[in-house]
Amino acid sequence: MTATVVIMNGVGSVGKSTICRALQSLTRAPFHHVQMDSFLAMMPALYKDHPEGLSFEIQEDDGRPALYARTGPVAEKLLAGMRAAIGAMAATGCNLIVDDVLFGNVDTECGNPVRDYNERLAPFQTHWVGVHAPLNVIEDREASRGDRPRGLARWQFTRVHRDMDYDFEIDVGSITAEEAARQIKDHFDL
């Protein structure tokens, strides 16, 4: 049987990781949770808040601070490696739930991440899920986490789903992660 890959895309702090863990507990077959954050944590500390790695710049959005994230060549290569690793894992038969933040279907220094995923995952059953919530809900979640710089969700909010095509979209602003996971499981018959 071929592997199944579910790619969850949404603004940081929307609740993707919690939904992914809930989905793992519901699926008939085992699914491994792959987090973009785990890959970014592999980057040497020198390249965090560095133009060659991952850097941040405060901008304004509707009179409020928004934290613009920029990926340099070191981070771009790391994320391209993540997509290659996901393709390799699927090739071994691993079912995967991927927790990513893709800034629309756009080209970067290392190519187009959406196209890269689609090419690498063409042999497998791949489902794209757009995870949405109102900005105020996401910002409240961002503030309560304490491990994210404030304003990142605001900057990502208008960029993440731009030009994306999904197989399923879900608004998690007023439902639990378990309810969202159940809807995803049922929609794709996982």
Side-chain angles (χ1 to χ4, degrees), residues 6 8 19 22-23 26 129-130 167-190:
V6 178
M8 309 276 281
I19 296 166
L23 184 57
L26 296 175
V129 178
D167 301 308
F168 185 67
E169 295 186 63
I170 189 165
D171 186 321
V172 298
S174 61
I175 62 173
T176 67
E178 291 74 21
E179 290 169 316
R182 170 81 49 205
Q183 288 183 35
I184 294 166
K185 177 199 178 293
D186 292 346
H187 185 80
F188 296 117
D189 193 28
L190 302 173

Side-chain angles (χ1 to χ4, degrees), residues 11-14 61-62 64-66 132-143 150-159 171-173:
V11 172
S13 299
V14 74
D61 184 323
D62 288 335
R64 298 187 62 193
H132 303 268
L135 180 58
N136 65 313
V137 171
I138 300 170
E139 287 183 320
D140 287 347
R141 291 175 182 172
E142 179 182 66
R150 303 269 320 253
L152 189 57
R154 177 169 286 276
W155 180 80
Q156 291 177 353
F157 189 76
T158 59
R159 292 164 175 82
D171 186 321
V172 298

